[in-house]
Each structure stands twice: as structure tokens, then as C-alpha cells.
Amino acid sequence: MESLLDQLIEALPAERGVIVLGEESGSYHHMLGRQALIRATPSLRVSQTILERVYRQGQALLCHPSEEDSKLAEAPSLSDRGIRSVLCAPLQRFDKVIGAIYLETTSITESFDRDHLHFLVAVAASVSLAVDNARYLESLESENRILRQDLEIEHNMVGESPAMKAVYERIAKVAAADSTVLIVGENGTGKELAARAIHQNSHRAGKPFLAINCASLTDSLLESELFGHEKGAFTGAEATKKGKLEVAHGGTLMLDEVGELAPGLQTKLLRVLQEQSFERVGGITPIQVDIRVIACTNRDLEKAIQEGSFRRDFYFRLNVIRLALPTLRDRREDIPLLARFFCEKYSQKCNRRVTGLSARALDCLRRYDWPGNVRELENAIERAVVLGNTPLILPEDLPEAVLESGNAAGAPSGFHDNLNLRKKE
């Protein structure tokens, strides 16, 4: 815009120019001025009367205040500075004025004429398109910044596929609330990582994150772990113990494999979710807690409800916000990225220099269905790093199930394929 004003001042007998941006006269969000000779930014004084007329009519204006318009001649913004000639052309797109180019001069011998007006109108038409495009680009960049902020969450998950980007976006939205979340997905899809990401990006991030596996303990031990117990509540309870619910106060409690909970514990946890209070085992005093519960499962809970092994009311209380994690076979484009990540991780851990994977090894990884998902892929790469003999992971370094899946796509065509075939014979 500065360059444009400099060229207009050079091409026309203008001493001073101002570009105004704004969709309403008098409420401009941007003004830029230039002055002849010194190429500096002057005081940004313009005639509001002229601008209002241009905005209202949507037409360019050429005027000589001292000669033809007594109202303009009396305007302080013009008379105080001895302005004798003014040009003003609207910047408009689709019949909407979005700004104006304003030029003026104090010269008596060189004033603006109709040719100058036509020239400025042509310039304004080109400038209007450029300004409108710049504003549109600015709005897109602003929108992208907002979207990036939504996606820029702290997490330890790896993946750039559309399916994982949808997960990150969901986590960003869920983290801001305190609602209970039910994370569903097959084993090895990263449910605990997703739960931790929700916690890390919430206002509870500075408070505890505790996880408990509902399938790893007996019902009595799990109840004690969750609710705690009073001294003497049962044999071996020699002291009062706080449970996970109490320790997680202010933070997040993750119930892993929640589908394995016994009906009795489901009832007790339902009360915790509804009232945010509980009693320790053997206690009678209600304990108030402020916790967020995130439940994870690989089971079909709706089917479990039909079978009578899972309470319907407990399910509805857990399923406030549902987050479904994709299987690895549903995001195969992430396999190379995950494989390289695990390759670097275990090459450092095993103190063995591994630079990456061969093209054939990657092809085998892509073809395999990964019933164990990311966890199975991690184990496969760790095995390959430990057992391999070259800087690159080769097909024969991979587990046989993965290798057979790759070979099933066609007859062996390379040295390593033929070598493995001979080994099997």
C-alpha cells in the first residue's frame, strides 16, 4: 500500500495520499498515509464529508472545495490546510465499499481533472480485488491458527492419518470439559495414551492421574483399591488405607477394562459418578471427591447389557462422551511412521545402531492385519532390533506371521524371500 501511494503521488499531481480500509465510514480499522517528496507518513487527516459521500454513493468523487462547494470550503480538515483539490475513489467488492483511496493537493496551478479521476477509478478497481483477496487469506490463516491450536495438544500418541487427526481434535474438545469419557477400541490401540492426553490437556493436568485395571484384581481387592478401607474392616486390614478414588481427588481416574467390573462394583461406582461421594470399605462416613472418570474397554458394552453382565444405568453414566480409537489396519498410512518411531526407541534402548527399515520390510508391515494393533507392531520392531544383524531391519528380522503375510501377496521375488523359503524347507 505504501508503494501504491508513492506511485500515485508520482503519477498524479497529488501532494498527499491516504488509503482507508473499513466497511463503514467513520469506523476504519486501518489507515495509511504518504506524502510527496519526504516519503513519510503524514498526520492522517481526511475530510469525513468526502469519505461519507463516497461510502454512501459508492462512486468516485472529484472536487475543488474552494471553488464549487461552500460546505467543503468551510470544512476545517480542508480549509485549515489550504486544500484546493481532492480525489477519492471507493474500494469495493460486489457493490460493498470496503475502503477508499483519498488524494489531495494544495497546488493552484496543478489540480486534479477528469482524466485523473478515471485513472484513479481504474487503479481502485484493481486494488479492491487485491485487498479483498488479502482479507480472505487473512481470515483463512486466522481460521487455520484456531484449528492448529485445537490440534496442538500434548500427547504421546504417534500418527498423522486422517483417523488420528480426528482423534486429536476430539481429545482437544473433550479435555476442556469435566464430562465422563468412555474410550472404546481393540487391545493395543492406545486407550491409556488417549486417556492421559485428555488429562494432560485439561485444567486437572497438575493433579493426579491414576489408572486401575478392573480385570487384574479380584472383586474384593479391586473394591479395596478403589474405595480404600478402614482399619479392621477385614482380616489383614491393619491400618486405614486411602483408595484410588480418594487419592485422585482433583485429578482423573482411569478405569481400564471397565467391562470386567462385577455388578456390585458397578452399582457403587454409579453412585460415585452421580454424587461424587463414597465410603471406604468398613466405613460409614461419606467422603466427597472431585474427580473425572475416564473408562476404557475393548468389549461391546451394549452386547454385555443384553447378556445381563453390565448395568444399563452404569453404561449410560459412563457413555457421556464416547471416543473410539481406530485399529492399526484402519490407519495403515501410520505404519511407517510408527515403525520408525519404535525403531529409534529400541535402537537406543538396546544400544544397537539401526537406521531404519528396508522397503521390503515396510511392505510386509503394511500388508499384515495387526490383530494386536500398535502394541503388536511395537513388539515386532523390538524383536527385529534385537535379532537383526544389519543397520536396516530386513524382512527376515520380522516375526514369521508378519513375514508370511507379506509373502502371501505374491511369489518370492528377492534374495531374502528365497532365503526364508529355503529355511522353511
Side-chain angles (χ1 to χ4, degrees):
M1 289 185 180
E2 290 179 350
S3 176
L4 171 65
L5 285 175
D6 288 342
Q7 292 181 55
L8 284 173
I9 290 171
E10 185 175 344
L12 301 174
E15 296 175 356
R16 183 174 174 275
V18 176
I19 290 180
V20 172
L21 294 181
E23 295 180 0
E24 293 182 11
S25 177
S27 59
Y28 317 118
H29 61 76
H30 185 79
M31 292 180 70
L32 174 72
R34 299 289 277 177
Q35 193 157 310
L37 301 177
I38 58 175
R39 294 292 187 267
T41 301
S43 59
L44 297 178
R45 291 185 65 189
V46 294
S47 170
Q48 291 296 328
T49 304
I50 292 176
L51 281 177
E52 286 172 6
R53 187 181 299 180
V54 169
Y55 265 81
R56 184 174 62 254
Q57 298 176 354
Q59 295 180 349
L61 180 65
L62 164 64
C63 65
H64 305 284
S66 60
E67 299 176 8
E68 58 193 50
D69 195 323
S70 58
K71 184 178 180 181
L72 287 177
E74 296 172 358
S77 62
L78 299 174
S79 61
D80 291 353
R81 295 181 293 119
I83 303 301
R84 294 186 175 274
S85 188
V86 177
L87 269 181
C88 188
L91 302 175
Q92 58 187 88
R93 291 293 293 158
F94 308 110
D95 298 325
K96 184 175 184 179
V97 178
I98 60 175
I101 301 177
Y102 178 99
L103 302 175
E104 61 185 19
T105 183
T106 60
S107 174
I108 299 176
T109 57
E110 288 188 295
S111 60
F112 299 129
D113 57 28
R114 304 296 297 181
D115 290 338
H116 298 145
L117 178 66
H118 295 153
F119 177 76
L120 186 62
V121 168
V123 171
S126 298
V127 173
S128 299
L129 177 61
V131 169
D132 193 52
N133 287 340
R135 292 174 64 194
Y136 179 64
L137 178 62
E138 189 177 55
S139 69
L140 289 178
E141 289 176 343
S142 176
E143 184 179 344
N144 284 338
R145 279 195 299 271
I146 294 172
L147 291 173
R148 283 196 298 270
Q149 287 171 2
D150 286 342
L151 293 176
E152 286 173 0
I153 57 174
E154 292 183 22
H155 63 87
N156 295 319
M157 308 172 78
V158 178
E160 297 178 353
S161 63
M164 288 306 296
K165 287 180 179 178
V167 169
Y168 302 149
E169 185 176 351
R170 185 81 162 177
I171 288 174
K173 292 179 179 179
V174 168
D178 262 341
S179 304
T180 304
V181 181
L182 178 63
I183 303 177
V184 298
E186 294 182 5
N187 283 332
T189 50
K191 295 187 289 295
E192 183 170 346
L193 290 178
R196 288 185 180 274
I198 292 172
H199 173 74
Q200 289 169 5
N201 293 278
S202 72
H203 67 91
R204 299 177 180 270
K207 299 295 183 178
F209 175 89
L210 299 180
I212 186 166
N213 192 315
C214 301
S216 63
L217 300 172
T218 63
D219 295 346
S220 58
L221 283 176
L222 182 58
E223 183 178 12
S224 177
E225 282 293 312
L226 282 170
F227 298 94
H229 59 255
E230 297 289 350
K231 180 179 179 180
F234 49 83
T235 303
E238 298 179 354
T240 299
K241 176 188 175 184
K242 291 183 178 181
K244 300 283 191 194
L245 290 168
E246 197 170 348
V247 176
H249 178 69
T252 304
L253 177 67
M254 188 191 91
L255 300 174
D256 198 11
E257 304 297 346
V258 71
E260 307 302 323
L261 274 174
L265 286 176
Q266 293 177 33
T267 304
K268 290 188 174 184
L269 282 172
L270 177 60
R271 182 192 170 194
V272 175
L273 292 174
Q274 291 175 337
E275 302 177 12
Q276 293 277 295
S277 70
F278 66 96
E279 294 93 32
R280 297 190 187 115
V281 176
I284 57 173
T285 304
I287 299 173
Q288 290 293 133
V289 289
D290 172 26
I291 58 171
R292 181 182 198 170
V293 174
I294 299 177
C296 304
T297 184
N298 63 347
R299 288 187 63 188
D300 184 345
L301 295 185
E302 293 180 356
K303 184 178 179 181
I305 291 171
Q306 295 174 358
E307 295 172 349
S309 60
F310 205 82
R311 290 179 61 100
R312 185 180 298 273
D313 51 358
F314 186 47
Y315 169 72
F316 288 139
R317 199 65 187 82
L318 290 176
N319 195 31
V320 178
I321 298 175
R322 188 184 186 90
L323 175 62
L325 296 185
T327 63
L328 189 53
R329 57 186 171 276
D330 290 331
R331 55 180 186 112
R332 293 181 186 272
E333 55 266 57
D334 284 332
I335 290 177
L337 184 64
L338 284 161
R340 294 186 186 100
F341 173 80
F342 292 132
C343 183
E344 182 178 349
K345 173 183 175 180
Y346 287 104
S347 64
Q348 293 177 357
K349 187 175 180 180
C350 300
N351 197 26
R352 180 174 173 267
R353 185 174 179 274
V354 179
T355 58
L357 297 93
S358 70
R360 289 287 296 140
L362 275 174
D363 190 51
C364 290
L365 297 180
R366 288 193 188 97
R367 293 179 185 277
Y368 187 54
D369 273 344
W370 301 106
N373 293 292
V374 178
R375 188 177 297 134
E376 184 183 6
L377 174 61
E378 181 177 4
N379 293 340
I381 298 300
E382 182 180 8
R383 174 190 186 277
V385 170
V386 172
L387 299 180
N389 296 312
T390 62
L392 280 179
I393 291 177
L394 304 175
E396 58 266 29
D397 300 328
L398 300 172
E400 287 196 9
V402 178
L403 188 57
E404 288 172 1
S405 176
N407 287 337
S413 57
F415 169 76
H416 295 295
D417 296 325
N418 285 296
L419 178 62
N420 279 286
L421 183 62
R422 293 292 177 266
K423 286 180 180 179
K424 291 177 183 178
E425 293 174 352

